Amino acid sequence: MAIDLSTTIAGVRFPSCFMNAAGALCVTEEELRGLGLSRAGAIVTKSMTIEPRFGNPEPRYYAFPGGSINSMGLPNLGYAAYAKLIPTLKEFGKPVIASVAGLCEPDFVKIATVVNERRPDLIEVNLSCPNIPGKPQIGYDAEDSERVLDQVRGVITVPMGVKLPPYFDPAHHEKMARVIERVGVEFLSLINSVGNGLVVDPERESVAIKPKGGFGGLGGAMIKPVALANVRAFWKLFQGRIPIIGVGGIVNGTDAFEHLLCGASAVQIGTVLVEEGTRAFERLEQELSAVLSRKGYTSPAACRGKLKEL
Ligand code: OXC
């Protein structure tokens, strides 16, 4: 059975439902071009700030069998460099998603205004980086989130999405859903890393990464249930009206299938992309196609949200 892995989000067609998560192999021009040349269904930029940033001190990324911990601290080229690159990146013939961060509210507006002029296909507003010392994750404050999103919505003309942190209580899903509805967010990327985890190396009696005393965002296989729960919760709250990009714990085709069942329209990969390189896209496509075909589904849309409850 022929499987078509293309998908549509906020009116934009993606040739494949797999893409990189902001942060994974997407900081430099070379990495972004690598995504363009790969089978990724989109090019997602690193979350950009006003000034170029080196990021946090190294070591700041550590992978282990269950996943990864990172505290990169938003190393990026600065928004002007990414804005300039967008037209070139679009020539690869797949959507370009500009990920916008900011160290304060006016930054988001300034970056979004300039980047929007270069016509990325979508803008993803990152409200959930856990790794900037002294800066709490905006996504955990509904009022702050609403203010930022409202202002960004007011200055851009392309579809706006938001990358949220994981929530662990239905009251928080509900509160943020009301914000998303009021502001008119057009897609959700769920979830950012599980912030402020701590990985310990018992042999060295040491933390695994240097910044913030070893605290950092967890990613990879271990966070899949948290990611699935957030995809499912928002899918149900919006009854499928707002497209969701599932992020978290996708290591193989079955993981991607689980995200689709929970309600995702597409998925992003982080840890597995860093560990395996862009050839991961081809493997994941093959594995997901095999699962869908075995189950009698012809596309990701055919199984979207179809998770059974007992
Ligand atoms: N999430 C982000 O949003 N940013 C990066 N890490 C992460 O887990 C970072 O740059 O620290």
Side-chain angles (χ1 to χ4, degrees):
M1 198 185 324
I3 305 290
D4 175 7
L5 288 184
S6 69
T7 189
T8 300
I9 292 166
V12 177
R13 186 185 172 276
F14 292 66
S16 160
C17 63
F18 288 101
M19 67 193 86
N20 66 297
L25 298 194
C26 61
V27 176
T28 65
E29 176 171 355
E30 195 187 348
E31 287 175 335
L32 290 162
R33 283 178 180 275
L35 291 168
L37 292 169
S38 78
R39 292 203 54 96
I43 304 174
V44 185
T45 72
K46 174 67 186 172
S47 298
M48 55 191 86
T49 54
I50 298 274
E51 300 296 336
R53 284 172 63 84
F54 172 78
N56 290 339
E58 293 168 328
R60 56 193 188 183
Y61 172 85
Y62 176 76
F64 51 101
S68 68
I69 182 165
N70 89 84
S71 182
M72 306 305 288
L74 294 176
N76 77 98
L77 305 178
Y79 78 113
Y82 293 112
K84 206 164 143 204
L85 268 176
I86 289 170
T88 320
L89 296 177
K90 286 183 73 166
E91 284 170 18
F92 285 102
K94 53 179 95 175
V96 172
I97 304 183
S99 172
V100 172
L103 300 181
C104 60
E105 284 184 27
D107 287 5
F108 282 93
V109 183
K110 183 169 173 185
I111 297 168
T113 306
V114 173
V115 162
N116 181 68
E117 284 165 12
R118 307 303 289 234
R119 311 299 304 163
D121 296 275
L122 307 109
I123 288 180
E124 183 182 274
V125 182
N126 183 356
L127 295 186
S128 46
C129 177
N131 300 329
I132 306 298
K135 303 266 178 205
Q137 288 157 274
I138 300 173
Y140 283 131
D141 184 308
E143 287 74 35
D144 288 357
S145 297
E146 181 156 1
R147 252 195 341 272
V148 171
L149 292 172
D150 224 10
Q151 292 178 68
V152 171
R153 182 63 283 168
V155 295
I156 68 173
T157 50
V158 303
M160 180 181 79
V162 59
K163 175 108 170 244
L164 293 173
Y167 299 105
F168 300 93
D169 190 292
H172 298 161
H173 291 122
E174 284 157 24
K175 196 166 185 187
M176 196 46 78
R178 287 194 289 275
V179 168
I180 289 161
E181 192 106 69
R182 277 199 295 271
V183 172
V185 172
E186 285 143 300
F187 72 98
L188 306 174
S189 298
L190 307 172
I191 53 174
N192 208 319
S193 56
V194 175
N196 297 297
L198 186 63
V199 172
V200 170
D201 179 340
E203 279 315 309
R204 287 191 295 135
E205 303 177 23
S206 168
V207 297
I209 56 171
K210 183 175 172 76
K212 290 178 66 177
F215 286 65
L218 302 173
M222 59 158 58
I223 72 162
K224 186 176 71 173
V226 178
L228 293 176
N230 277 269
V231 169
R232 189 66 182 163
F234 281 105
W235 164 264
K236 289 178 80 164
L237 281 165
F238 293 118
Q239 295 169 338
R241 280 178 291 111
I242 301 190
I244 297 172
I245 304 178
V247 203
I250 294 155
V251 175
N252 59 44
T254 304
D255 300 324
F257 179 60
E258 292 175 15
H259 269 269
L260 300 175
L261 283 177
C262 288
S265 293
V267 293
Q268 295 180 347
I269 56 171
T271 303
V272 79
L273 179 56
V274 173
E275 293 304 306
E276 200 174 320
T278 52
R279 64 184 180 281
F281 289 113
E282 206 170 335
R283 175 179 65 76
L284 288 165
E285 272 189 30
Q286 283 164 3
E287 290 175 2
L288 177 60
S289 295
V291 176
L292 293 177
S293 165
R294 180 165 57 79
K295 299 250 166 202
Y297 293 113
T298 53
S299 68
C303 65
R304 182 169 58 232
K306 294 252 165 82
L307 186 68
K308 292 179 194 139
E309 292 181 14
L310 303 176

